[in-house]
Amino acid sequence: MSRRKKFSGAQLKTLRKEAGYTQEELAFRVGISRETVSAIENEKPETMNNIGVEIISKWWSICRQKASQQTRESFFSTVMDYFGFNLS
């Protein structure tokens, strides 16, 4: 069984900050607690192991339009790796 790469809390934090949201604002929009946003961004193992694709998808939809091109490309690459797609 192959192990998928995990999402980077630091990368999600960058995405949120570039979009101009506080942890509390993003949490409200995603439908999770501010504490959960903090735990994700700080890569708390118990939270990172249970983070669902739905949360990542919502986070992305809320933040992507305001993120830099570099951050969007990096995030897209992470998503492709997560699902096992190789673009080379």
Side-chain angles (χ1 to χ4, degrees):
M1 184 168 151
S2 70
R3 300 183 91 205
R4 289 183 182 166
K5 292 186 179 183
K6 295 184 180 178
F7 284 93
S8 161
Q11 187 178 40
L12 292 168
K13 181 177 185 175
T14 298
L15 187 58
R16 173 186 62 80
K17 286 187 158 218
E18 284 186 11
Y21 293 112
T22 65
Q23 287 181 341
E24 189 171 347
E25 291 167 332
L26 183 66
F28 176 78
R29 293 174 187 275
V30 173
I32 57 179
S33 71
R34 190 213 51 83
E35 292 79 11
T36 300
V37 171
S38 178
I40 291 168
E41 291 181 352
N42 290 299
E43 298 186 1
K44 299 290 183 188
E46 61 279 359
T47 303
M48 294 307 286
N49 290 336
N50 294 312
I51 191 171
V53 173
E54 181 180 342
I55 289 173
I56 300 297
S57 177
K58 285 181 182 179
W59 195 304
W60 171 245
S61 338
I62 292 163
C63 297
R64 72 175 176 225
Q65 294 173 337
K66 296 180 181 179
S68 70
Q69 180 69 27
Q70 180 180 359
T71 298
R72 288 193 312 266
E73 288 173 2
S74 174
F75 189 83
F76 180 76
S77 177
T78 299
V79 169
M80 296 304 281
D81 273 353
Y82 180 82
F83 287 106
F85 296 113
N86 186 350
L87 297 176
S88 344

